[in-house]
Amino acid sequence: MKITSYDGNTTIFEKEVSNLKTSAIGKLRGLCWNSPRGYSRLNLDDVVLTKKMTSVLTTITAAGWSTLYTPYALDFSAVEGLTAYTATCSGNVVTLTPVDNVPANTGVVLKGAAKTYSIPLIASSTTDKGHLKGSATEATAWNAYSGYTLYVLTSVDEGANVQFNPVVSGSIAAGKAFLKVNGGASSAHALNVAFADNLTGISEAKAQGLAAKVGKFVEDGKLFIYKRGMKFNANGQLVK
């Protein structure tokens, strides 16, 4: 914690202290220092107390998914049970890429058990930010952005999967991440999600066989879903 006293617009006194308790405030009145105006006694009205942040808290609900946007660079590498993803949007597909850390002002998708997590702050990060946006205040719905639609993360299949759906009314909470996509409400539709750590080439798929593939994969820029030894397109239609 830092104690800073100001004399007008000039910083007169600055000292780092720790474990400051309310009972110690009275003792601050006895602090003295040499100022340009002579020997002075600390006026409690001139004291500004600030506590240095070392982490941010975020809560994931029973859905198992959430988003986060902060003005800080974050380190997820040592947060047990939490996976962070940046997101990039191409066409109708949003690709989520797992990351260990992100720069300040970066939106992320979070996956984890339902609880509150403490995420450490770091000085900086060189990780690509991706396409997720965010706001320190509530973000209004799509009609506040001419020519754009805002998309928010939505869990489907009881949390087994996620997709991004357009927001056509209301607002998005402060500190949450969203996509800002060209196009108004008339062209808005759900965006499917693929995971970068599950992406694979067609040649590998042939080598393994369809039965070995389970999940969502991007092939030639198109999303396909593999399950029960079958291949489906993004609309759920069987691909032979």
Side-chain angles (χ1 to χ4, degrees), residues 116-138:
T116 297
Y117 297 85
S118 178
I119 306 169
L121 274 56
I122 53 177
S124 62
S125 168
T126 59
T127 300
D128 184 82
K129 289 186 174 185
H131 296 160
L132 285 172
K133 308 297 183 183
S135 176
T137 59
E138 280 190 343

Side-chain angles (χ1 to χ4, degrees), residues 146-162:
S146 177
Y148 293 91
T149 300
L150 301 188
Y151 285 77
V152 296
L153 187 75
T154 305
S155 64
V156 294
D157 301 330
E158 298 182 347
N161 294 296
V162 288

Side-chain angles (χ1 to χ4, degrees), residues 84-174:
Y85 301 88
T86 55
T88 53
C89 183
S90 178
N92 297 331
V93 179
V94 178
T95 300
L96 300 184
T97 302
V99 292
D100 287 333
N101 53 72
V102 293
N105 301 307
T106 300
V108 291
V109 171
L110 301 176
K111 171 65 174 174
K115 66 176 186 177
T116 297
Y117 297 85
S118 178
I119 306 169
L121 274 56
I122 53 177
S124 62
S125 168
T126 59
T127 300
D128 184 82
K129 289 186 174 185
H131 296 160
L132 285 172
K133 308 297 183 183
S135 176
T137 59
E138 280 190 343
T140 53
W142 66 272
N143 56 5
Y145 296 86
S146 177
Y148 293 91
T149 300
L150 301 188
Y151 285 77
V152 296
L153 187 75
T154 305
S155 64
V156 294
D157 301 330
E158 298 182 347
N161 294 296
V162 288
Q163 62 186 21
F164 280 85
N165 286 306
V167 178
V168 296
S169 64
S171 60
I172 301 171

Side-chain angles (χ1 to χ4, degrees), residues 11-220:
T11 300
I12 301 300
F13 175 81
E14 187 173 283
K15 183 176 178 62
E16 293 285 346
V17 298
S18 60
N19 300 321
L20 184 66
K21 298 181 180 179
T22 303
S23 60
I25 295 295
K27 297 180 181 180
L28 292 176
R29 297 184 185 277
L31 292 176
C32 301
W33 69 94
N34 289 320
S35 74
R37 300 178 183 177
Y39 191 67
S40 302
R41 182 176 295 275
L42 178 64
N43 185 340
L44 190 58
D45 294 335
D46 294 331
V47 174
V48 178
L49 301 179
T50 60
K51 184 175 182 179
K52 183 179 179 181
M53 287 185 58
T54 59
S55 64
V56 296
L57 299 178
T58 188
T59 299
I60 294 183
T61 66
W65 296 90
S66 184
T67 63
L68 180 66
Y69 179 90
T70 78
Y72 309 107
L74 302 175
D75 181 8
F76 301 95
S77 61
V79 184
E80 186 176 354
L82 184 67
T83 303
Y85 301 88
T86 55
T88 53
C89 183
S90 178
N92 297 331
V93 179
V94 178
T95 300
L96 300 184
T97 302
V99 292
D100 287 333
N101 53 72
V102 293
N105 301 307
T106 300
V108 291
V109 171
L110 301 176
K111 171 65 174 174
K115 66 176 186 177
T116 297
Y117 297 85
S118 178
I119 306 169
L121 274 56
I122 53 177
S124 62
S125 168
T126 59
T127 300
D128 184 82
K129 289 186 174 185
H131 296 160
L132 285 172
K133 308 297 183 183
S135 176
T137 59
E138 280 190 343
T140 53
W142 66 272
N143 56 5
Y145 296 86
S146 177
Y148 293 91
T149 300
L150 301 188
Y151 285 77
V152 296
L153 187 75
T154 305
S155 64
V156 294
D157 301 330
E158 298 182 347
N161 294 296
V162 288
Q163 62 186 21
F164 280 85
N165 286 306
V167 178
V168 296
S169 64
S171 60
I172 301 171
K176 295 297 184 181
F178 54 84
L179 288 170
K180 184 180 176 183
V181 180
N182 287 328
S186 60
S187 61
H189 52 273
L191 303 176
N192 291 300
V193 166
F195 293 87
D197 47 352
N198 284 339
L199 301 184
T200 187
I202 296 177
S203 58
E204 180 183 346
K206 291 181 179 179
Q208 293 179 343
L210 287 178
K213 292 189 69 175
V214 178
K216 298 178 180 180
F217 299 83
V218 175
E219 299 172 0
D220 294 332

